[in-house]
Amino acid sequence: MTKRSNWFFAILILLMVPPLNAEENSVSEATAECIECHAMVHPGIFNDWKKSRHAQITPASAVGVKGLARKVSSDNIPDGLKNNVVGCAECHTMRPDNHRDTFEHNGHDIHIVVSPKDCASCHTEEAFQYTQNIMSHAYDNLAENALYQKLQLSIIGTKKRVGGQMTYTPANEATKAETCYYCHGTKLKVNGTETRDTDLAGELDFPIIEGWPNQGVGRVNLDDSLGSCSPCHARHQFSIEMARKPQACKECHIGPDVPAAKVYAASKHGNIYSTLHQSWDFKAVPWTIGEDFAAPTCATCHMSLLVNGEGEMVSSRSHKMNDRLPWRLFGLVYAHPHPLEPDTTIIRNKDNKPLPVSLDNTAASSFLIDEKERNVRRQAMQAACLSCHGTSWVNGHWQRMENTIERTNADVLTTTNMMQEIWKAGYADGKTNPFDESIEKKWTDIWQFYANTIRFASAMGGGGDYEVYADGYYHLTKTMLEIQEWFSHQKKSALSNKNK
Amino acid sequence: MTKRSNWFFAILILLMVPPLNAEENSVSEATAECIECHAMVHPGIFNDWKKSRHAQITPASAVGVKGLARKVSSDNIPDGLKNNVVGCAECHTMRPDNHRDTFEHNGHDIHIVVSPKDCASCHTEEAFQYTQNIMSHAYDNLAENALYQKLQLSIIGTKKRVGGQMTYTPANEATKAETCYYCHGTKLKVNGTETRDTDLAGELDFPIIEGWPNQGVGRVNLDDSLGSCSPCHARHQFSIEMARKPQACKECHIGPDVPAAKVYAASKHGNIYSTLHQSWDFKAVPWTIGEDFAAPTCATCHMSLLVNGEGEMVSSRSHKMNDRLPWRLFGLVYAHPHPLEPDTTIIRNKDNKPLPVSLDNTAASSFLIDEKERNVRRQAMQAACLSCHGTSWVNGHWQRMENTIERTNADVLTTTNMMQEIWKAGYADGKTNPFDESIEKKWTDIWQFYANTIRFASAMGGGGDYEVYADGYYHLTKTMLEIQEWFSHQKKSALSNKNK
Amino acid sequence: MTKRSNWFFAILILLMVPPLNAEENSVSEATAECIECHAMVHPGIFNDWKKSRHAQITPASAVGVKGLARKVSSDNIPDGLKNNVVGCAECHTMRPDNHRDTFEHNGHDIHIVVSPKDCASCHTEEAFQYTQNIMSHAYDNLAENALYQKLQLSIIGTKKRVGGQMTYTPANEATKAETCYYCHGTKLKVNGTETRDTDLAGELDFPIIEGWPNQGVGRVNLDDSLGSCSPCHARHQFSIEMARKPQACKECHIGPDVPAAKVYAASKHGNIYSTLHQSWDFKAVPWTIGEDFAAPTCATCHMSLLVNGEGEMVSSRSHKMNDRLPWRLFGLVYAHPHPLEPDTTIIRNKDNKPLPVSLDNTAASSFLIDEKERNVRRQAMQAACLSCHGTSWVNGHWQRMENTIERTNADVLTTTNMMQEIWKAGYADGKTNPFDESIEKKWTDIWQFYANTIRFASAMGGGGDYEVYADGYYHLTKTMLEIQEWFSHQKKSALSNKNK
């Protein structure tokens, strides 16, 4: 913030801000009881909450906000919740019969894991949209896809050398929970009860929860709901500011498979964000383009409710998050039109495999959005672009991105064709597991790392160094050459052995 | 900013800042017309500009500033520009006859692509200096160098497998524009006109520009000028703050070939910047060492006008950017004295190749700066160093950097000698293209990634983890071993085949 | 900081802050003399110091602070130091007879390199704790360990090709100083005197110091003390704010061997830090959980004095830094219980090698902390965790981390067993140097990069993308496969040669 604006704000705020309304801050009796111990035992949680909007506004006030500024979408907030701020007890005692981790705690029926269905009491629309988000199904989409399970085994499986060969046995739950399922979400399960001696209240009983802790986007909760709000709105501030800043997405979108955070940080948008964001307003709802911020973050393009300077809506809020996404850049093994349904376990390609494309890049079209829907989504995305860029700029960018999808898919096809010849010739075993040999891992590098990195760099940054030298075309080409030379060498060796 | 200083500033500013001068904010009639529609259609652009210095100060006022604080270097600003703030029309209607993308738009002759020659109307000296900057020639320096074109082909070329061999055909324009030429700049070309239906004004004609969008440092503009100011001063704030912050350079200087941003972020200077920069002044001109900032950013060492606490000049402003650079760390294929001219296509080494050194590390001396000039530049750079470090510190740092140039050049020479033996023995084909086989890519890794990373870490950080374990000596040594073993293996195989 | 809080602070501070106390700012005569020239010659140093706490408070005042807020631990500050602020002369003329770089400079006995023993005059306890920190011994721990010297040689050694083999000769001092010893610290040595012509005082003599500049954690100083305070508290602000921010540690903990900074930046804690830290208080002593900050930085968990909202101590300040560390995640070659003594050159494993474990993963237990001490340290660490997380959360996290230590150690063992078979079969020479051949470097990748990265991701982030796809399990598995295939290939070749 500039020096001058600091001062103007100070004056402005003095004139505008009413004294804190006591009623606004009314804490329920139950929450007051929680705070009595937990403010001391868990000062981090207590203070986080105290700074949160939840601690400042009652749902009754929040619902009263008119127009696009309204943050709470439910029209049926239960009476019991309306007139107290949202505190510990409001969330952790909600719908006690639905949560398998509900336990008696100092006279209250508490559950540990708050779920999107709890949040839906006030944030109904957002919770519903999230059920349509492919992320909410991230657990099953990985755990119940037989082919992806082979990939998982070939990465985190426990390795043993048996007779000069590497064998894999499935990873244990602890390893799974902090690798793939850290982001995808774990499946929670109550495994009995334990008694612990506490400082303030002596012996108390607590449920033992398998798969805990976890904040994955597709966590299977103890009320059978899917997902979690805290991957993006971290506990216990649940801040909109945090979800709008690009670091929120970095936790899961950083590796070479989905290098969104790295690509953004090296893009023009990321540069503008880094250098200027301290004077932006990350809390304003709706979010006014140009006034509240000068360059998009992840949320701007994929989620946020945006308006122009006249207050007209440019993009509607979305927790489905893919309604501005015609393409899924992430190759499996090719980039493809976005899946129709959030549950991708139902997809079968023409070879009856649970993949959105076949190995020869034929899309499993009946499970993917069609061209009409792709156009709707393209326009939805471009509405934000066009607020800062002319039409020819936006069209030029988009054409390059679609060219890149085509180009990288072609390179993946060339490589996959080699791989299939390798399997056919018996130089590797693609049947048992197509991902678990060294040469197969080079193939995986191609479609999972380099093609994806190139596409993310193109889509989010319009290109740059990441598209060429940092896991981009340079590495794609190099690895294709290595596979081709390995294959040639195998053929030569086979021939030479035959001739002996 | 500390709490106390916030308050002091507030008082100070209240006493000092005059009320906004209406005259200062006089927007030209033409610009007012632009704003009428575009404030609504392009709120991002409009608000960015509104926050810019361009929107606050007329050139007449800017020129009146005395001494080093003056930001506008022209003494001949055209009368028509002097007394309005610099708005849409001022830049986008300037020199209409010189721009091939000029088109009639609501009664005005507008061009889309504003060039450094337009900016030169006020910023004459900076625009001239930039023509001396090797960056301004980045398009031709890549596109018109036959050898580098082979490197380009071997990276972004379209790959096909033909008869068990990988072949390359040149990448299309879309791919080129978002890979190499994203940073180097594209060559813009008007390809006719299109009619588009607009929301506010019905059908309008617009030029179709090939190579657009682009903000590369060496963009070939539609008035034949070279370069762009927006890679560093992003549109439409054109902020000095942004250009002074290290993220501005990160867009192009992040990959393993030029890892300046990564190295800086892990250096002592980068650490001090990260932790303390929120209280620094990135807008002050001149920039006072110690008072305005406590550690250098990229701009500090390479570009900015610096003064000490007495207001005495320590370094003069430079948009040529290499007048403090004796050495070019970036190896082609060896680090070498900086080229004399920004146009490097004219360089020929002793083997008549367009390279600043030959493969045996003989410098193409007549095209590079001599020792005398290197000393001038060293002293120009060290003036900044010596403002925070004692002479023995600075000398020690510099000796290590020159030792590192020597050491890494020696390792590149050892590897290049192996490569030449490999070519000679016919195990790879260095004639058709010395960069397009797998073993040649390992050689490229040596001089383009590891040697460069080591040198950047040495020069910018005095060393550290990046020099050893993150694309540094560890990877350099490992790759040298792999090349040597590959070579041994080829010789053994050849021998064994002979013996059969 | 929110707009409202800015204003409240302004009012608050106006009411609370007494006018600057002249006495508080008393600069000694000697320091005033220094400043006379150096404020102009070294504006960076002068201004840094002026902003420091050293320039604002006399030791006498600092010592008067009661309770946990006291920052200066000595009860015996020499009288001569008590009543002036801590300026140039106070540190650079302290204990002149003990520093071999003491020289006469304008009538004062100045030394260039200030050491922790100088700082100990006021910060006695911190300096003592630091002598117990393994970091303070980082020079000898590397330079005096014969096995690690082989690793060093195999990375930064000067390479020559002799008879088709790669040979290594030790790196020169300049290279050593900016690679391994940049972080570990150099051994300083006075090598005579030089005369320099200075701008303000004509010809002056200065000591020539080998190994200078350096700010490594284990620097061997010219008064024989070990270490330096400036790696974390950078000169000349020596700010607690800087040491508490995560970038301070990044300088050395960034590469794939110790990727703490990368893992933190992609963790939930790092996300919260990145998005919210601008409103935190990094200067408060003691540091109140929840009030001063909402998520831990490196310092929070490893060093800082923490209290809860009632002011009760949660963790005591530690400059030993490992008293909350049961395990040393960094594998040599396996993760192991933390060493007992900071000097690790004394360690011998069961094979009499200077390693904390043997190659079959038997710990050198008598040199490592026992289970009891590990439990004490675990509880010390968990005290911070439990301030924001429930017990089941913390236990779940901890169990996963210990599972990961076990899992990664098992993978390293499998690989090390292969390596030993390879050495035994003569396919590589493990005797002369077990680190200097290409296949040995793959083995090094396993334990030094991938196993370490997995462990850091687990311990600091609870997992995520870095544990899988960014130098994690994916690369671990891939490299194990490559070693295994290389080994198989060697055996086959040997067999085939035999059969000829």
Side-chain angles (χ1 to χ4, degrees):
Chain A
M1 203 177 285
T2 63
K3 292 161 199 169
R4 185 189 295 184
S5 67
N6 257 358
W7 174 249
F8 285 151
F9 272 129
I11 293 285
L12 213 72
I13 285 160
L14 192 73
L15 300 171
M16 285 166 48
V17 175
L20 273 181
N21 188 333
E23 199 188 303
E24 284 283 294
N25 260 306
S26 76
V27 166
S28 70
E29 244 174 78
T31 290
E33 269 184 68
C34 304
I35 291 174
E36 226 170 283
C37 292
H38 284 278
M40 199 178 131
V41 180
H42 293 125
I45 299 178
F46 170 67
N47 280 285
D48 238 19
W49 168 76
K50 227 175 60 182
K51 290 172 192 156
S52 76
R53 197 167 161 77
H54 278 163
Q56 331 246 328
I57 308 281
T58 63
S61 304
V63 158
V65 173
K66 297 289 171 229
L68 296 177
R70 182 169 162 186
K71 291 173 183 170
V72 164
S73 54
S74 171
D75 287 323
N76 299 301
I77 297 179
D79 282 341
L81 290 176
K82 276 187 182 160
N83 297 311
N84 291 313
V85 298
V86 182
C88 322
E90 280 63 36
C91 302
H92 283 278
T93 67
M94 190 176 282
R95 307 163 53 246
D97 299 340
N98 295 280
H99 294 278
R100 287 189 289 280
D101 58 334
T102 296
F103 66 109
E104 197 282 325
H105 184 71
N106 295 321
H108 296 278
D109 284 341
I110 300 283
H111 59 280
I112 291 173
V113 185
V114 176
S115 82
K117 270 197 188 155
D118 296 332
C119 304
S121 304
C122 297
H123 304 284
T124 319
E125 206 169 317
E126 290 67 34
F128 171 74
Q129 287 173 350
Y130 193 72
T131 66
Q132 304 301 301
N133 187 333
I134 201 167
M135 291 184 191
S136 66
H137 286 256
Y139 178 83
D140 266 10
N141 284 350
L142 174 55
E144 297 300 324
N145 184 313
L147 197 57
Y148 299 167
Q149 282 301 298
K150 288 187 179 181
L151 182 61
Q152 179 184 309
L153 181 71
S154 78
I155 295 169
I156 61 165
T158 303
K159 289 156 290 288
K160 287 238 166 71
R161 250 192 340 140
V162 179
Q165 281 297 107
M166 205 64 83
T167 65
Y168 299 83
T169 48
N172 62 25
E173 291 303 316
T175 298
K176 280 165 64 181
E178 63 171 37
T179 52
C180 311
Y181 298 92
Y182 175 87
C183 292
H184 279 253
T186 55
K187 188 171 199 158
L188 301 180
K189 211 159 92 179
V190 175
N191 270 343
T193 294
E194 62 180 354
T195 306
R196 291 201 300 260
D197 199 23
T198 67
D199 284 347
L200 299 178
E203 287 206 342
L204 291 174
D205 286 343
F206 299 92
I208 301 170
I209 305 174
E210 191 183 298
W212 189 250
N214 181 262
Q215 302 172 95
V217 294
R219 191 180 64 202
V220 182
N221 298 306
L222 293 165
D223 63 353
D224 297 320
S225 68
L226 299 178
S228 165
C229 302
S230 53
C232 310
H233 302 277
R235 306 162 320 123
H236 279 95
Q237 288 197 41
F238 306 104
S239 147
I240 194 170
E241 176 176 9
M242 186 179 293
R244 282 175 169 178
K245 288 192 172 171
Q247 291 87 354
C249 310
K250 184 173 176 178
E251 229 175 300
C252 293
H253 296 262
I254 179 68
D257 51 326
V258 280
K262 279 194 291 189
V263 162
Y264 179 77
S267 72
K268 179 63 82 193
H269 290 158
N271 166 11
I272 299 174
Y273 168 81
S274 295
T275 48
L276 301 181
H277 78 270
Q278 279 160 35
S279 63
W280 300 356
D281 186 345
F282 285 90
K283 292 182 176 160
V285 173
W287 216 11
T288 306
I289 296 170
E291 289 175 22
D292 293 329
F293 61 91
T297 65
C298 313
T300 315
C301 299
H302 295 288
M303 282 150 262
S304 297
L305 167 61
L306 307 177
V307 298
N308 65 16
E310 331 279 296
E312 294 167 341
M313 190 158 79
V314 172
S315 310
S316 59
R317 183 184 293 126
S318 165
H319 281 71
K320 181 183 173 192
M321 291 190 202
N322 58 51
D323 33 20
R324 305 182 202 163
L325 285 183
W327 299 104
R328 198 182 186 193
L329 298 180
F330 189 82
L332 289 163
V333 301
Y334 303 95
H336 53 274
H338 217 276
L340 261 174
E341 299 293 332
D343 175 2
T344 63
T345 63
I346 60 171
I347 295 176
R348 291 295 174 275
N349 68 13
K350 75 178 170 67
D351 304 320
N352 208 32
K353 301 274 188 209
L355 276 178
V357 286
S358 57
L359 288 188
D360 65 359
N361 196 15
T362 308
S365 301
S366 57
F367 298 96
L368 309 176
I369 60 171
D370 59 17
E371 202 185 333
K372 202 180 137 197
E373 174 65 13
R374 287 203 296 275
N375 274 324
V376 170
R377 293 188 180 194
R378 177 180 53 73
Q379 280 169 21
M381 173 64 91
Q382 289 182 347
C385 311
L386 288 163
S387 299
C388 299
H389 298 284
T391 304
S392 67
W393 182 294
V394 174
N395 287 346
H397 176 85
W398 202 269
Q399 282 156 17
R400 284 180 195 160
M401 184 192 74
E402 296 198 331
N403 168 71
T404 291
I405 291 176
E406 208 174 296
R407 267 289 313 267
T408 50
N409 275 352
D411 284 342
V412 172
L413 181 59
T414 301
T415 315
T416 304
N417 284 341
M418 273 197 280
M419 201 62 232
Q420 291 197 292
E421 292 179 32
I422 288 168
W423 284 323
K424 211 172 148 188
Y427 303 142
D429 167 18
K431 290 249 166 78
T432 319
N433 189 333
F435 309 114
D436 69 347
E437 295 174 61
S438 155
I439 190 69
E440 292 164 342
K441 294 225 176 276
K442 278 191 191 291
W443 170 63
T444 313
D445 289 346
I446 293 282
W447 55 265
Q448 197 164 23
F449 294 165
Y450 310 136
N452 282 345
T453 296
I454 292 167
R455 291 180 203 125
F456 274 90
S458 168
M460 294 175 52
D465 218 358
Y466 274 109
E467 191 163 334
V468 185
Y469 281 127
D471 290 338
Y473 275 114
Y474 182 84
H475 293 92
L476 179 83
T477 304
K478 188 182 180 197
T479 306
M480 287 178 73
L481 285 171
E482 287 172 358
I483 295 176
Q484 182 255 314
E485 289 179 16
W486 184 92
F487 187 21
S488 294
H489 184 80
Q490 295 297 318
K491 286 194 279 194
K492 225 178 287 176
S493 294
L495 199 68
S496 137
N497 283 334
K498 221 191 221 164
N499 290 345
K500 270 179 199 166
Chain B
M1 204 176 284
T2 64
K3 293 159 197 174
R4 184 190 295 187
S5 65
N6 258 357
W7 173 250
F8 286 151
F9 272 129
I11 293 286
L12 213 71
I13 286 159
L14 192 75
L15 299 171
M16 286 165 47
V17 175
L20 272 181
N21 189 335
E23 199 189 302
E24 283 283 294
N25 261 305
S26 75
V27 165
S28 69
E29 245 174 77
T31 290
E33 269 184 69
C34 303
I35 290 173
E36 226 170 283
C37 292
H38 284 277
M40 199 178 131
V41 180
H42 293 125
I45 298 177
F46 171 67
N47 280 285
D48 239 18
W49 168 76
K50 227 174 59 180
K51 290 172 193 157
S52 76
R53 198 168 161 77
H54 278 165
Q56 331 247 328
I57 307 282
T58 63
S61 304
V63 158
V65 173
K66 298 288 172 231
L68 296 176
R70 183 169 163 185
K71 292 173 182 171
V72 164
S73 53
S74 171
D75 287 323
N76 298 301
I77 296 179
D79 281 341
L81 290 176
K82 274 188 183 161
N83 297 309
N84 291 312
V85 299
V86 183
C88 324
E90 280 63 34
C91 301
H92 283 278
T93 67
M94 190 176 281
R95 307 164 52 247
D97 299 339
N98 294 281
H99 294 279
R100 289 188 289 280
D101 58 335
T102 296
F103 67 110
E104 197 282 325
H105 184 70
N106 296 319
H108 296 280
D109 285 341
I110 299 282
H111 61 280
I112 290 171
V113 184
V114 176
S115 81
K117 271 197 189 157
D118 296 333
C119 304
S121 303
C122 297
H123 304 283
T124 318
E125 204 170 319
E126 290 69 32
F128 171 73
Q129 286 172 350
Y130 193 72
T131 66
Q132 304 301 304
N133 187 333
I134 201 168
M135 291 185 190
S136 66
H137 286 256
Y139 178 82
D140 265 11
N141 284 350
L142 174 55
E144 298 299 324
N145 184 311
L147 196 57
Y148 300 167
Q149 281 301 297
K150 289 187 177 181
L151 182 61
Q152 180 182 311
L153 182 71
S154 78
I155 294 169
I156 61 165
T158 302
K159 289 156 289 289
K160 286 240 168 68
R161 249 192 341 139
V162 179
Q165 281 297 108
M166 206 64 83
T167 65
Y168 300 82
T169 47
N172 62 25
E173 291 304 316
T175 298
K176 280 165 60 182
E178 63 172 37
T179 52
C180 312
Y181 299 93
Y182 176 88
C183 293
H184 280 253
T186 55
K187 187 170 200 159
L188 301 180
K189 209 158 95 179
V190 175
N191 270 342
T193 294
E194 63 180 351
T195 305
R196 289 200 302 259
D197 199 23
T198 67
D199 283 348
L200 298 178
E203 287 205 339
L204 291 174
D205 287 343
F206 298 91
I208 301 169
I209 306 174
E210 193 183 296
W212 188 250
N214 180 263
Q215 302 170 97
V217 293
R219 191 179 66 203
V220 182
N221 297 307
L222 293 166
D223 62 353
D224 298 319
S225 68
L226 299 178
S228 165
C229 303
S230 54
C232 310
H233 301 276
R235 308 162 318 124
H236 279 93
Q237 288 196 40
F238 306 104
S239 147
I240 194 170
E241 176 177 8
M242 186 178 294
R244 282 175 169 180
K245 288 189 172 172
Q247 291 87 355
C249 309
K250 184 174 175 176
E251 231 175 299
C252 293
H253 296 261
I254 178 69
D257 51 326
V258 280
K262 279 195 290 189
V263 162
Y264 179 77
S267 72
K268 178 64 82 193
H269 290 158
N271 167 11
I272 299 174
Y273 168 80
S274 294
T275 48
L276 302 181
H277 78 270
Q278 280 159 34
S279 65
W280 300 355
D281 187 345
F282 285 90
K283 291 181 175 161
V285 172
W287 217 11
T288 307
I289 296 171
E291 289 175 22
D292 292 330
F293 61 93
T297 66
C298 313
T300 316
C301 300
H302 295 288
M303 281 150 263
S304 297
L305 167 62
L306 307 177
V307 297
N308 64 16
E310 332 278 297
E312 295 167 341
M313 190 157 79
V314 171
S315 310
S316 59
R317 182 185 292 126
S318 164
H319 281 72
K320 180 184 174 192
M321 290 189 203
N322 57 50
D323 33 20
R324 305 182 203 164
L325 285 183
W327 300 103
R328 198 181 186 194
L329 297 181
F330 189 81
L332 289 163
V333 302
Y334 302 95
H336 53 273
H338 218 276
L340 260 175
E341 300 293 330
D343 174 1
T344 63
T345 62
I346 59 171
I347 296 175
R348 291 295 174 274
N349 68 13
K350 75 178 169 65
D351 304 320
N352 207 32
K353 300 274 187 208
L355 277 178
V357 285
S358 57
L359 289 189
D360 65 359
N361 196 14
T362 307
S365 302
S366 56
F367 298 95
L368 309 177
I369 60 171
D370 59 17
E371 204 186 332
K372 199 180 140 200
E373 174 66 13
R374 288 204 297 275
N375 274 325
V376 170
R377 294 188 180 194
R378 177 180 53 72
Q379 279 169 21
M381 173 65 91
Q382 289 182 346
C385 312
L386 287 164
S387 300
C388 299
H389 297 285
T391 303
S392 68
W393 183 294
V394 174
N395 287 347
H397 176 84
W398 202 270
Q399 281 157 17
R400 285 181 194 159
M401 184 191 75
E402 296 198 331
N403 168 70
T404 291
I405 291 176
E406 207 175 298
R407 268 288 314 265
T408 50
N409 275 353
D411 284 342
V412 172
L413 180 60
T414 301
T415 316
T416 303
N417 284 341
M418 272 197 280
M419 202 61 231
Q420 291 197 292
E421 292 178 32
I422 288 168
W423 284 324
K424 209 171 151 191
Y427 302 141
D429 167 16
K431 290 250 165 75
T432 319
N433 189 332
F435 309 114
D436 70 347
E437 295 173 62
S438 155
I439 190 68
E440 291 164 343
K441 293 225 177 278
K442 278 191 192 290
W443 169 62
T444 312
D445 290 345
I446 292 283
W447 55 265
Q448 197 164 22
F449 294 166
Y450 310 136
N452 282 346
T453 296
I454 293 167
R455 291 180 203 127
F456 273 90
S458 168
M460 293 174 53
D465 218 357
Y466 274 109
E467 191 164 334
V468 184
Y469 281 127
D471 290 339
Y473 275 113
Y474 182 84
H475 293 91
L476 179 83
T477 304
K478 189 181 179 198
T479 306
M480 287 178 73
L481 285 172
E482 287 172 358
I483 296 176
Q484 183 255 316
E485 288 180 16
W486 184 92
F487 187 22
S488 293
H489 184 79
Q490 294 299 317
K491 285 193 280 196
K492 224 179 284 177
S493 295
L495 198 69
S496 137
N497 283 333
K498 221 191 222 164
N499 291 344
K500 269 179 199 165
Chain C
M1 206 177 284
T2 64
K3 292 161 197 168
R4 185 190 295 186
S5 65
N6 257 358
W7 174 250
F8 285 152
F9 273 128
I11 294 286
L12 213 71
I13 286 160
L14 191 73
L15 298 171
M16 286 166 48
V17 175
L20 273 181
N21 189 334
E23 198 187 302
E24 283 283 294
N25 261 305
S26 75
V27 166
S28 70
E29 243 174 81
T31 290
E33 268 184 70
C34 304
I35 291 175
E36 225 170 284
C37 292
H38 283 278
M40 199 177 129
V41 180
H42 293 125
I45 298 177
F46 171 67
N47 280 284
D48 238 19
W49 168 77
K50 226 175 59 181
K51 291 172 192 156
S52 76
R53 199 169 159 76
H54 279 165
Q56 333 247 327
I57 308 282
T58 63
S61 305
V63 159
V65 173
K66 297 287 171 233
L68 295 177
R70 181 168 163 186
K71 292 173 182 170
V72 164
S73 54
S74 171
D75 287 322
N76 298 302
I77 297 180
D79 282 340
L81 290 176
K82 276 188 182 160
N83 297 312
N84 291 314
V85 298
V86 182
C88 322
E90 280 62 37
C91 302
H92 283 279
T93 65
M94 189 176 282
R95 307 163 53 246
D97 298 339
N98 294 281
H99 294 279
R100 287 189 288 279
D101 58 335
T102 295
F103 66 110
E104 197 282 326
H105 184 68
N106 295 318
H108 296 278
D109 284 340
I110 300 281
H111 60 280
I112 291 172
V113 185
V114 175
S115 83
K117 270 197 190 158
D118 296 332
C119 304
S121 304
C122 297
H123 304 283
T124 318
E125 204 170 320
E126 291 68 33
F128 172 73
Q129 287 172 349
Y130 193 71
T131 65
Q132 304 302 303
N133 187 334
I134 200 168
M135 291 185 190
S136 65
H137 287 256
Y139 178 83
D140 265 9
N141 285 350
L142 174 55
E144 298 300 324
N145 184 312
L147 196 57
Y148 300 167
Q149 282 301 298
K150 288 186 179 183
L151 182 61
Q152 179 183 310
L153 181 71
S154 78
I155 295 169
I156 60 165
T158 302
K159 290 156 288 290
K160 286 238 167 69
R161 248 190 344 137
V162 179
Q165 281 297 109
M166 205 65 82
T167 65
Y168 299 82
T169 47
N172 63 25
E173 291 302 317
T175 298
K176 281 166 62 183
E178 65 172 34
T179 53
C180 312
Y181 298 92
Y182 175 88
C183 293
H184 280 253
T186 55
K187 187 170 200 160
L188 301 180
K189 209 159 96 180
V190 175
N191 270 343
T193 295
E194 62 180 352
T195 305
R196 290 200 301 261
D197 198 23
T198 67
D199 283 348
L200 300 178
E203 287 206 341
L204 290 174
D205 286 342
F206 298 91
I208 301 169
I209 306 174
E210 193 183 295
W212 188 249
N214 181 264
Q215 302 171 93
V217 294
R219 191 179 66 202
V220 182
N221 298 306
L222 293 166
D223 62 353
D224 297 319
S225 68
L226 299 178
S228 164
C229 302
S230 54
C232 309
H233 302 276
R235 307 164 315 127
H236 279 94
Q237 288 196 43
F238 306 103
S239 145
I240 194 169
E241 176 176 8
M242 185 178 294
R244 282 176 168 179
K245 289 190 171 171
Q247 291 87 355
C249 310
K250 184 174 177 176
E251 229 176 300
C252 293
H253 296 261
I254 179 68
D257 50 326
V258 279
K262 280 195 290 188
V263 162
Y264 179 78
S267 72
K268 178 64 83 194
H269 290 158
N271 167 11
I272 300 174
Y273 168 80
S274 293
T275 49
L276 302 181
H277 78 270
Q278 279 159 34
S279 64
W280 300 356
D281 186 345
F282 286 90
K283 291 182 177 160
V285 172
W287 217 11
T288 307
I289 296 171
E291 289 174 23
D292 293 329
F293 62 93
T297 65
C298 313
T300 316
C301 300
H302 295 288
M303 280 150 263
S304 296
L305 167 62
L306 307 176
V307 298
N308 64 16
E310 332 279 295
E312 294 167 342
M313 190 157 78
V314 172
S315 311
S316 59
R317 182 184 294 126
S318 164
H319 281 71
K320 180 183 173 192
M321 291 190 203
N322 58 51
D323 33 21
R324 305 182 203 164
L325 286 183
W327 299 104
R328 196 180 185 196
L329 298 180
F330 189 82
L332 290 165
V333 301
Y334 303 95
H336 54 274
H338 218 277
L340 261 174
E341 299 293 332
D343 175 1
T344 63
T345 61
I346 59 170
I347 296 176
R348 292 295 175 273
N349 69 12
K350 73 178 171 69
D351 305 320
N352 207 31
K353 301 272 187 208
L355 277 178
V357 285
S358 56
L359 289 188
D360 65 0
N361 196 15
T362 308
S365 301
S366 57
F367 298 95
L368 310 176
I369 60 171
D370 60 17
E371 204 185 334
K372 201 180 139 199
E373 174 65 13
R374 286 204 297 275
N375 274 325
V376 169
R377 293 187 180 195
R378 178 180 52 74
Q379 280 169 21
M381 173 64 91
Q382 289 183 346
C385 311
L386 288 164
S387 300
C388 298
H389 297 285
T391 303
S392 67
W393 182 295
V394 173
N395 287 346
H397 176 85
W398 201 269
Q399 282 156 18
R400 285 181 193 158
M401 184 191 75
E402 296 198 332
N403 168 70
T404 291
I405 291 176
E406 207 174 297
R407 267 289 315 267
T408 51
N409 275 352
D411 285 343
V412 172
L413 180 60
T414 302
T415 315
T416 304
N417 284 341
M418 273 198 281
M419 202 60 233
Q420 291 197 292
E421 291 179 33
I422 288 168
W423 285 323
K424 208 172 150 189
Y427 302 142
D429 166 18
K431 291 248 166 78
T432 318
N433 189 333
F435 310 114
D436 70 347
E437 295 174 60
S438 156
I439 190 69
E440 291 164 342
K441 294 225 176 274
K442 278 191 193 290
W443 169 63
T444 312
D445 288 345
I446 293 281
W447 56 264
Q448 196 165 21
F449 294 166
Y450 309 136
N452 282 346
T453 296
I454 293 167
R455 291 180 203 127
F456 273 90
S458 168
M460 294 175 52
D465 219 357
Y466 274 109
E467 190 164 334
V468 185
Y469 282 128
D471 291 337
Y473 276 113
Y474 182 83
H475 293 92
L476 179 82
T477 304
K478 191 183 178 197
T479 305
M480 286 178 72
L481 285 171
E482 287 173 358
I483 296 176
Q484 183 254 315
E485 289 179 16
W486 184 92
F487 188 22
S488 295
H489 184 78
Q490 295 297 319
K491 285 194 279 194
K492 226 178 284 174
S493 294
L495 198 67
S496 137
N497 282 333
K498 221 191 222 165
N499 291 343
K500 268 179 199 166

